[in-house]
Amino acid sequence: MDVDCNTHPPGEAGAISARTLILDLMDTGSPPDFSTRDLVQAGAAFGLEATGIRTALTRLRQEGRVRALDRGRYAIGAKAEPLQHRILGWREVQSRRRLWGGGWLLAVAGPQERANRTLWRHTVRALDLEGFAEAETNVWVRPDNLEGGPEGGAAAMRRRLLALDGAPSLLLVQATALDEQREARFRTLWPVAGLAASHAGLVRRLAESAARLPALPLVEAAAESLLTGREAIRAILRDPLLPEALCPPDALTALIAAMDAYDRLGKDIWRRYLGT
């Protein structure tokens, strides 16, 4: 799933690009690879021309995000594997949490990181995906409550940011004993109520879509299930995984459970649509 892309209502013109569709399908890991015919047929569900699918496939191969197999099929490429690994783990994201001791992770950016616009864009995206919020000019912060292994939270987070194409020179440190004003302000940087409401809204949409899909023509059901499911997974992956003291996990737990059921339904629809 291309977690950077915006989603649109099912059936809307331009709802998904050929590039995003190919990556979305391959990111599911089920099936592990697709033929050109599969991808062209998938594109037809969204009104995408075969030439557009083939052009996107060629470009993705050149970028290393897709690789060709010996038997003329295509699978995820090395360049896209870190993000695919992250996407495939959406059901277990909450297992990344650990008991919060009150510390923080601070990412500090300087002129070196901002000089390259493309690198800086990737760095901001990586910080966003890892639940950081901009606290002050050039300073991003998140609670140090994620599993870090024996090396600690900062070392593990540094690896994750690098895997998401963040700037290697970004300063990332663990911080404790902040002044009272910063401590209080940092705790309010995330829109907790809005996040819970958004998750609850997606749970309702998943239920409504699941009830509607069986009555739809197969091609329409395939398109709707992919668009609706990708929006839910995008929300799960972008949840900052805050400690319970800052944000109760109930809304995210409910969304993951709802998406788990919807995912099984969507995959069955796509197997039938592609004839696999």
Side-chain angles (χ1 to χ4, degrees), residues 17-18 20-21 43 98 115 122 151-153 158 217 222 227 231:
S17 69
T20 297
L21 174 61
R98 61 176 171 81
H122 290 166
E151 296 174 292
R158 193 174 293 111
L227 290 176
E231 186 172 358

Side-chain angles (χ1 to χ4, degrees), residues 36-102:
T36 303
R37 174 197 166 278
D38 293 335
L39 297 173
V40 168
Q41 186 172 346
F46 299 91
L48 298 171
E49 299 289 342
T51 52
I53 292 291
R54 291 191 176 95
T55 298
L57 192 55
T58 298
R59 290 175 178 169
L60 288 168
R61 285 182 61 191
Q62 292 170 346
E63 295 170 11
R65 296 182 181 277
V66 167
R67 60 188 173 91
L69 303 177
D70 291 339
R71 49 198 170 94
R73 297 178 69 86
Y74 298 90
I76 203 74
K79 183 68 174 177
E81 283 178 349
L83 191 55
Q84 184 202 40
H85 179 74
R86 180 189 185 91
I87 292 166
L88 290 176
W90 62 265
R91 288 179 174 86
E92 290 80 38
V93 292
Q94 294 194 97
S95 67
R96 292 184 61 204
R97 285 192 180 102
R98 61 176 171 81
L99 186 64
W100 187 40

Side-chain angles (χ1 to χ4, degrees), residues 4 107-110 112-133 138 140 157-158 160-172 238:
D4 285 331
V108 184
Q112 181 178 354
E113 289 76 35
R114 291 179 175 273
N116 183 319
R117 290 186 179 182
T118 300
L119 179 60
W120 180 238
R121 186 174 66 252
H122 290 166
T123 301
V124 171
R125 183 196 71 160
L127 289 168
D128 180 53
L129 286 172
E130 286 299 330
F132 282 81
N138 298 330
W140 279 257
M157 181 59 69
R158 193 174 293 111
R160 291 180 66 86
L161 293 174
L162 285 172
L164 292 169
D165 295 328
S169 58
L170 185 70
L171 176 61
L172 185 68
R238 286 186 175 274

Side-chain angles (χ1 to χ4, degrees), residues 139-192:
V139 178
W140 279 257
V141 64
R142 70 151 296 121
D144 185 11
N145 71 310
L146 301 181
E147 286 293 345
E151 296 174 292
M157 181 59 69
R158 193 174 293 111
R159 289 196 303 273
R160 291 180 66 86
L161 293 174
L162 285 172
L164 292 169
D165 295 328
S169 58
L170 185 70
L171 176 61
L172 185 68
V173 297
Q174 293 168 282
T176 57
L178 298 176
D179 60 86
E180 291 184 4
Q181 288 186 338
R182 281 191 172 87
E183 179 72 33
R185 182 164 54 81
F186 284 6
R187 288 170 171 264
T188 65
L189 290 174
W190 293 266
V192 173

